[in-house]
PDB file of all heavy atoms in Angstrom:
ATOM      1  N   LEU A   1       1.501   8.208   8.922  1.00  0.00           N
ATOM      2  CA  LEU A   1       2.293   9.407   9.125  1.00  0.00           C
ATOM      3  C   LEU A   1       1.697  10.187  10.285  1.00  0.00           C
ATOM      4  O   LEU A   1       0.481  10.431  10.312  1.00  0.00           O
ATOM      5  CB  LEU A   1       2.301  10.288   7.863  1.00  0.00           C
ATOM      6  CG  LEU A   1       3.398   9.983   6.836  1.00  0.00           C
ATOM      7  CD1 LEU A   1       3.091   8.673   6.122  1.00  0.00           C
ATOM      8  CD2 LEU A   1       3.520  11.107   5.830  1.00  0.00           C
ATOM      9  N   LEU A   2       2.557  10.583  11.236  1.00  0.00           N
ATOM     10  CA  LEU A   2       2.094  11.229  12.455  1.00  0.00           C
ATOM     11  C   LEU A   2       2.713  12.615  12.596  1.00  0.00           C
ATOM     12  O   LEU A   2       3.896  12.825  12.287  1.00  0.00           O
ATOM     13  CB  LEU A   2       2.482  10.401  13.681  1.00  0.00           C
ATOM     14  CG  LEU A   2       2.075   8.924  13.718  1.00  0.00           C
ATOM     15  CD1 LEU A   2       2.609   8.269  14.981  1.00  0.00           C
ATOM     16  CD2 LEU A   2       0.564   8.770  13.630  1.00  0.00           C
ATOM     17  N   LEU A   3       1.903  13.566  13.099  1.00  0.00           N
ATOM     18  CA  LEU A   3       2.385  14.878  13.515  1.00  0.00           C
ATOM     19  C   LEU A   3       1.891  15.122  14.932  1.00  0.00           C
ATOM     20  O   LEU A   3       0.688  15.019  15.195  1.00  0.00           O
ATOM     21  CB  LEU A   3       1.853  15.975  12.591  1.00  0.00           C
ATOM     22  CG  LEU A   3       2.721  16.386  11.393  1.00  0.00           C
ATOM     23  CD1 LEU A   3       2.026  17.478  10.600  1.00  0.00           C
ATOM     24  CD2 LEU A   3       4.101  16.850  11.835  1.00  0.00           C
ATOM     25  N   ASN A   4       2.818  15.422  15.822  1.00  0.00           N
ATOM     26  CA  ASN A   4       2.457  15.634  17.223  1.00  0.00           C
ATOM     27  C   ASN A   4       1.622  14.480  17.771  1.00  0.00           C
ATOM     28  O   ASN A   4       0.675  14.679  18.535  1.00  0.00           O
ATOM     29  CB  ASN A   4       1.708  16.962  17.389  1.00  0.00           C
ATOM     30  CG  ASN A   4       2.568  18.149  16.988  1.00  0.00           C
ATOM     31  OD1 ASN A   4       3.769  18.156  17.240  1.00  0.00           O
ATOM     32  ND2 ASN A   4       1.971  19.139  16.357  1.00  0.00           N
ATOM     33  N   GLY A   5       1.977  13.274  17.346  1.00  0.00           N
ATOM     34  CA  GLY A   5       1.319  12.077  17.836  1.00  0.00           C
ATOM     35  C   GLY A   5      -0.007  11.746  17.188  1.00  0.00           C
ATOM     36  O   GLY A   5      -0.616  10.720  17.504  1.00  0.00           O
ATOM     37  N   LYS A   6      -0.473  12.600  16.278  1.00  0.00           N
ATOM     38  CA  LYS A   6      -1.746  12.354  15.600  1.00  0.00           C
ATOM     39  C   LYS A   6      -1.514  12.017  14.127  1.00  0.00           C
ATOM     40  O   LYS A   6      -0.555  12.476  13.506  1.00  0.00           O
ATOM     41  CB  LYS A   6      -2.663  13.573  15.710  1.00  0.00           C
ATOM     42  CG  LYS A   6      -3.145  13.871  17.119  1.00  0.00           C
ATOM     43  CD  LYS A   6      -4.142  15.021  17.110  1.00  0.00           C
ATOM     44  CE  LYS A   6      -4.693  15.309  18.491  1.00  0.00           C
ATOM     45  NZ  LYS A   6      -5.717  16.398  18.461  1.00  0.00           N
ATOM     46  N   LYS A   7      -2.445  11.267  13.575  1.00  0.00           N
ATOM     47  CA  LYS A   7      -2.294  10.778  12.204  1.00  0.00           C
ATOM     48  C   LYS A   7      -2.676  11.848  11.192  1.00  0.00           C
ATOM     49  O   LYS A   7      -3.755  12.437  11.266  1.00  0.00           O
ATOM     50  CB  LYS A   7      -3.176   9.536  12.008  1.00  0.00           C
ATOM     51  CG  LYS A   7      -3.004   8.818  10.698  1.00  0.00           C
ATOM     52  CD  LYS A   7      -3.719   7.475  10.741  1.00  0.00           C
ATOM     53  CE  LYS A   7      -3.677   6.755   9.411  1.00  0.00           C
ATOM     54  NZ  LYS A   7      -4.296   5.414   9.482  1.00  0.00           N
ATOM     55  N   ILE A   8      -1.762  12.120  10.250  1.00  0.00           N
ATOM     56  CA  ILE A   8      -2.104  13.024   9.138  1.00  0.00           C
ATOM     57  C   ILE A   8      -2.138  12.296   7.803  1.00  0.00           C
ATOM     58  O   ILE A   8      -2.600  12.854   6.807  1.00  0.00           O
ATOM     59  CB  ILE A   8      -1.145  14.226   9.017  1.00  0.00           C
ATOM     60  CG1 ILE A   8       0.249  13.757   8.612  1.00  0.00           C
ATOM     61  CG2 ILE A   8      -1.118  15.075  10.248  1.00  0.00           C
ATOM     62  CD1 ILE A   8       0.944  14.702   7.685  1.00  0.00           C
ATOM     63  N   GLY A   9      -1.650  11.062   7.782  1.00  0.00           N
ATOM     64  CA  GLY A   9      -1.634  10.350   6.510  1.00  0.00           C
ATOM     65  C   GLY A   9      -1.585   8.853   6.719  1.00  0.00           C
ATOM     66  O   GLY A   9      -1.160   8.363   7.772  1.00  0.00           O
ATOM     67  N   GLY A  10      -2.052   8.134   5.698  1.00  0.00           N
ATOM     68  CA  GLY A  10      -2.035   6.687   5.750  1.00  0.00           C
ATOM     69  C   GLY A  10      -1.846   6.097   4.370  1.00  0.00           C
ATOM     70  O   GLY A  10      -2.059   6.775   3.352  1.00  0.00           O
ATOM     71  N   ILE A  11      -1.410   4.849   4.339  1.00  0.00           N
ATOM     72  CA  ILE A  11      -1.104   4.168   3.085  1.00  0.00           C
ATOM     73  C   ILE A  11      -1.775   2.800   3.094  1.00  0.00           C
ATOM     74  O   ILE A  11      -1.743   2.095   4.104  1.00  0.00           O
ATOM     75  CB  ILE A  11       0.418   4.001   2.916  1.00  0.00           C
ATOM     76  CG1 ILE A  11       1.090   5.376   2.802  1.00  0.00           C
ATOM     77  CG2 ILE A  11       0.753   3.162   1.681  1.00  0.00           C
ATOM     78  CD1 ILE A  11       2.496   5.392   3.290  1.00  0.00           C
ATOM     79  N   LEU A  12      -2.393   2.450   1.970  1.00  0.00           N
ATOM     80  CA  LEU A  12      -3.000   1.129   1.807  1.00  0.00           C
ATOM     81  C   LEU A  12      -2.454   0.506   0.531  1.00  0.00           C
ATOM     82  O   LEU A  12      -2.732   0.980  -0.567  1.00  0.00           O
ATOM     83  CB  LEU A  12      -4.523   1.232   1.734  1.00  0.00           C
ATOM     84  CG  LEU A  12      -5.265  -0.091   1.489  1.00  0.00           C
ATOM     85  CD1 LEU A  12      -5.020  -1.074   2.629  1.00  0.00           C
ATOM     86  CD2 LEU A  12      -6.764   0.151   1.303  1.00  0.00           C
ATOM     87  N   THR A  13      -1.658  -0.548   0.692  1.00  0.00           N
ATOM     88  CA  THR A  13      -1.054  -1.250  -0.439  1.00  0.00           C
ATOM     89  C   THR A  13      -1.789  -2.561  -0.670  1.00  0.00           C
ATOM     90  O   THR A  13      -1.968  -3.356   0.253  1.00  0.00           O
ATOM     91  CB  THR A  13       0.438  -1.531  -0.176  1.00  0.00           C
ATOM     92  OG1 THR A  13       1.111  -0.304   0.080  1.00  0.00           O
ATOM     93  CG2 THR A  13       1.083  -2.219  -1.367  1.00  0.00           C
ATOM     94  N   GLU A  14      -2.216  -2.773  -1.906  1.00  0.00           N
ATOM     95  CA  GLU A  14      -2.887  -4.016  -2.284  1.00  0.00           C
ATOM     96  C   GLU A  14      -2.253  -4.524  -3.569  1.00  0.00           C
ATOM     97  O   GLU A  14      -1.798  -3.728  -4.402  1.00  0.00           O
ATOM     98  CB  GLU A  14      -4.386  -3.780  -2.483  1.00  0.00           C
ATOM     99  CG  GLU A  14      -5.087  -3.281  -1.211  1.00  0.00           C
ATOM    100  CD  GLU A  14      -6.546  -2.964  -1.431  1.00  0.00           C
ATOM    101  OE1 GLU A  14      -6.850  -1.924  -2.056  1.00  0.00           O
ATOM    102  OE2 GLU A  14      -7.387  -3.738  -0.963  1.00  0.00           O
ATOM    103  N   MET A  15      -2.230  -5.838  -3.738  1.00  0.00           N
ATOM    104  CA  MET A  15      -1.559  -6.372  -4.927  1.00  0.00           C
ATOM    105  C   MET A  15      -2.308  -7.534  -5.546  1.00  0.00           C
ATOM    106  O   MET A  15      -3.106  -8.206  -4.897  1.00  0.00           O
ATOM    107  CB  MET A  15      -0.119  -6.776  -4.601  1.00  0.00           C
ATOM    108  CG  MET A  15       0.024  -7.939  -3.651  1.00  0.00           C
ATOM    109  SD  MET A  15       1.778  -8.356  -3.412  1.00  0.00           S
ATOM    110  CE  MET A  15       1.643  -9.522  -2.056  1.00  0.00           C
ATOM    111  N   ASN A  16      -2.010  -7.740  -6.813  1.00  0.00           N
ATOM    112  CA  ASN A  16      -2.473  -8.893  -7.557  1.00  0.00           C
ATOM    113  C   ASN A  16      -1.225  -9.694  -7.890  1.00  0.00           C
ATOM    114  O   ASN A  16      -0.334  -9.201  -8.589  1.00  0.00           O
ATOM    115  CB  ASN A  16      -3.206  -8.435  -8.830  1.00  0.00           C
ATOM    116  CG  ASN A  16      -3.729  -9.596  -9.651  1.00  0.00           C
ATOM    117  OD1 ASN A  16      -2.960 -10.386 -10.180  1.00  0.00           O
ATOM    118  ND2 ASN A  16      -5.043  -9.683  -9.780  1.00  0.00           N
ATOM    119  N   ALA A  17      -1.133 -10.921  -7.367  1.00  0.00           N
ATOM    120  CA  ALA A  17       0.126 -11.649  -7.482  1.00  0.00           C
ATOM    121  C   ALA A  17      -0.095 -13.139  -7.520  1.00  0.00           C
ATOM    122  O   ALA A  17      -1.159 -13.658  -7.145  1.00  0.00           O
ATOM    123  CB  ALA A  17       1.037 -11.301  -6.303  1.00  0.00           C
ATOM    124  N   GLU A  18       0.927 -13.848  -7.982  1.00  0.00           N
ATOM    125  CA  GLU A  18       1.054 -15.289  -7.840  1.00  0.00           C
ATOM    126  C   GLU A  18       2.090 -15.530  -6.742  1.00  0.00           C
ATOM    127  O   GLU A  18       2.746 -14.589  -6.297  1.00  0.00           O
ATOM    128  CB  GLU A  18       1.501 -15.908  -9.169  1.00  0.00           C
ATOM    129  CG  GLU A  18       0.489 -15.721 -10.304  1.00  0.00           C
ATOM    130  CD  GLU A  18       1.005 -16.283 -11.621  1.00  0.00           C
ATOM    131  OE1 GLU A  18       1.830 -17.218 -11.577  1.00  0.00           O
ATOM    132  OE2 GLU A  18       0.583 -15.778 -12.673  1.00  0.00           O
ATOM    133  N   PRO A  19       2.255 -16.774  -6.294  1.00  0.00           N
ATOM    134  CA  PRO A  19       3.211 -17.010  -5.207  1.00  0.00           C
ATOM    135  C   PRO A  19       4.620 -16.513  -5.493  1.00  0.00           C
ATOM    136  O   PRO A  19       5.349 -16.139  -4.576  1.00  0.00           O
ATOM    137  CB  PRO A  19       3.188 -18.537  -5.049  1.00  0.00           C
ATOM    138  CG  PRO A  19       1.812 -18.926  -5.491  1.00  0.00           C
ATOM    139  CD  PRO A  19       1.482 -17.989  -6.626  1.00  0.00           C
ATOM    140  N   ASP A  20       5.022 -16.506  -6.772  1.00  0.00           N
ATOM    141  CA  ASP A  20       6.403 -16.151  -7.079  1.00  0.00           C
ATOM    142  C   ASP A  20       6.569 -14.817  -7.795  1.00  0.00           C
ATOM    143  O   ASP A  20       7.699 -14.396  -8.058  1.00  0.00           O
ATOM    144  CB  ASP A  20       7.044 -17.253  -7.930  1.00  0.00           C
ATOM    145  CG  ASP A  20       6.328 -17.456  -9.262  1.00  0.00           C
ATOM    146  OD1 ASP A  20       5.149 -17.034  -9.373  1.00  0.00           O
ATOM    147  OD2 ASP A  20       6.937 -18.017 -10.182  1.00  0.00           O
ATOM    148  N   ARG A  21       5.483 -14.136  -8.130  1.00  0.00           N
ATOM    149  CA  ARG A  21       5.661 -12.857  -8.822  1.00  0.00           C
ATOM    150  C   ARG A  21       4.437 -11.968  -8.652  1.00  0.00           C
ATOM    151  O   ARG A  21       3.315 -12.440  -8.462  1.00  0.00           O
ATOM    152  CB  ARG A  21       5.936 -13.065 -10.311  1.00  0.00           C
ATOM    153  CG  ARG A  21       4.775 -13.606 -11.125  1.00  0.00           C
ATOM    154  CD  ARG A  21       5.236 -13.935 -12.543  1.00  0.00           C
ATOM    155  NE  ARG A  21       4.136 -14.405 -13.369  1.00  0.00           N
ATOM    156  CZ  ARG A  21       3.537 -13.657 -14.307  1.00  0.00           C
ATOM    157  NH1 ARG A  21       3.932 -12.418 -14.522  1.00  0.00           N
ATOM    158  NH2 ARG A  21       2.547 -14.150 -15.034  1.00  0.00           N
ATOM    159  N   VAL A  22       4.705 -10.678  -8.714  1.00  0.00           N
ATOM    160  CA  VAL A  22       3.661  -9.666  -8.601  1.00  0.00           C
ATOM    161  C   VAL A  22       3.198  -9.268  -9.995  1.00  0.00           C
ATOM    162  O   VAL A  22       4.019  -8.958 -10.864  1.00  0.00           O
ATOM    163  CB  VAL A  22       4.201  -8.425  -7.852  1.00  0.00           C
ATOM    164  CG1 VAL A  22       3.209  -7.274  -7.931  1.00  0.00           C
ATOM    165  CG2 VAL A  22       4.496  -8.768  -6.403  1.00  0.00           C
ATOM    166  N   HIS A  23       1.895  -9.281 -10.216  1.00  0.00           N
ATOM    167  CA  HIS A  23       1.359  -8.774 -11.481  1.00  0.00           C
ATOM    168  C   HIS A  23       1.268  -7.249 -11.444  1.00  0.00           C
ATOM    169  O   HIS A  23       1.710  -6.573 -12.362  1.00  0.00           O
ATOM    170  CB  HIS A  23      -0.030  -9.370 -11.750  1.00  0.00           C
ATOM    171  CG  HIS A  23      -0.015 -10.843 -11.973  1.00  0.00           C
ATOM    172  ND1 HIS A  23       0.643 -11.426 -13.031  1.00  0.00           N
ATOM    173  CD2 HIS A  23      -0.566 -11.870 -11.257  1.00  0.00           C
ATOM    174  CE1 HIS A  23       0.493 -12.741 -12.979  1.00  0.00           C
ATOM    175  NE2 HIS A  23      -0.232 -13.031 -11.899  1.00  0.00           N
ATOM    176  N   PHE A  24       0.675  -6.736 -10.385  1.00  0.00           N
ATOM    177  CA  PHE A  24       0.650  -5.279 -10.188  1.00  0.00           C
ATOM    178  C   PHE A  24       0.350  -4.981  -8.730  1.00  0.00           C
ATOM    179  O   PHE A  24      -0.162  -5.830  -7.988  1.00  0.00           O
ATOM    180  CB  PHE A  24      -0.373  -4.595 -11.111  1.00  0.00           C
ATOM    181  CG  PHE A  24      -1.809  -4.950 -10.845  1.00  0.00           C
ATOM    182  CD1 PHE A  24      -2.564  -4.264  -9.892  1.00  0.00           C
ATOM    183  CD2 PHE A  24      -2.447  -5.966 -11.570  1.00  0.00           C
ATOM    184  CE1 PHE A  24      -3.891  -4.587  -9.650  1.00  0.00           C
ATOM    185  CE2 PHE A  24      -3.773  -6.293 -11.335  1.00  0.00           C
ATOM    186  CZ  PHE A  24      -4.499  -5.604 -10.368  1.00  0.00           C
ATOM    187  N   VAL A  25       0.702  -3.786  -8.333  1.00  0.00           N
ATOM    188  CA  VAL A  25       0.463  -3.300  -6.976  1.00  0.00           C
ATOM    189  C   VAL A  25      -0.231  -1.953  -7.080  1.00  0.00           C
ATOM    190  O   VAL A  25       0.093  -1.141  -7.962  1.00  0.00           O
ATOM    191  CB  VAL A  25       1.789  -3.130  -6.204  1.00  0.00           C
ATOM    192  CG1 VAL A  25       1.553  -2.477  -4.844  1.00  0.00           C
ATOM    193  CG2 VAL A  25       2.490  -4.466  -6.035  1.00  0.00           C
ATOM    194  N   VAL A  26      -1.200  -1.709  -6.211  1.00  0.00           N
ATOM    195  CA  VAL A  26      -1.785  -0.369  -6.114  1.00  0.00           C
ATOM    196  C   VAL A  26      -1.477   0.177  -4.723  1.00  0.00           C
ATOM    197  O   VAL A  26      -1.638  -0.528  -3.728  1.00  0.00           O
ATOM    198  CB  VAL A  26      -3.302  -0.346  -6.399  1.00  0.00           C
ATOM    199  CG1 VAL A  26      -3.584  -0.877  -7.796  1.00  0.00           C
ATOM    200  CG2 VAL A  26      -4.091  -1.116  -5.364  1.00  0.00           C
ATOM    201  N   ILE A  27      -0.982   1.402  -4.683  1.00  0.00           N
ATOM    202  CA  ILE A  27      -0.630   2.043  -3.413  1.00  0.00           C
ATOM    203  C   ILE A  27      -1.519   3.261  -3.235  1.00  0.00           C
ATOM    204  O   ILE A  27      -1.400   4.242  -3.974  1.00  0.00           O
ATOM    205  CB  ILE A  27       0.850   2.462  -3.376  1.00  0.00           C
ATOM    206  CG1 ILE A  27       1.765   1.263  -3.629  1.00  0.00           C
ATOM    207  CG2 ILE A  27       1.180   3.103  -2.024  1.00  0.00           C
ATOM    208  CD1 ILE A  27       3.236   1.621  -3.685  1.00  0.00           C
ATOM    209  N   GLY A  28      -2.422   3.165  -2.275  1.00  0.00           N
ATOM    210  CA  GLY A  28      -3.289   4.292  -1.956  1.00  0.00           C
ATOM    211  C   GLY A  28      -2.657   5.149  -0.876  1.00  0.00           C
ATOM    212  O   GLY A  28      -2.167   4.630   0.129  1.00  0.00           O
ATOM    213  N   ILE A  29      -2.667   6.458  -1.091  1.00  0.00           N
ATOM    214  CA  ILE A  29      -2.098   7.395  -0.124  1.00  0.00           C
ATOM    215  C   ILE A  29      -3.143   8.455   0.188  1.00  0.00           C
ATOM    216  O   ILE A  29      -3.685   9.092  -0.725  1.00  0.00           O
ATOM    217  CB  ILE A  29      -0.818   8.063  -0.657  1.00  0.00           C
ATOM    218  CG1 ILE A  29       0.229   7.001  -1.004  1.00  0.00           C
ATOM    219  CG2 ILE A  29      -0.258   9.057   0.369  1.00  0.00           C
ATOM    220  CD1 ILE A  29       1.490   7.558  -1.654  1.00  0.00           C
ATOM    221  N   GLY A  30      -3.435   8.627   1.453  1.00  0.00           N
ATOM    222  CA  GLY A  30      -4.327   9.695   1.892  1.00  0.00           C
ATOM    223  C   GLY A  30      -3.568  10.648   2.794  1.00  0.00           C
ATOM    224  O   GLY A  30      -2.891  10.213   3.732  1.00  0.00           O
TER     225      GLY A  30
END
């Protein structure tokens, strides 16, 4: 996320999954 060209926020998505299905996802937001 940018304001006036500078970063004010970011997201980090990580998951635990098999090839055909997701067990769970964690979404980090700063």
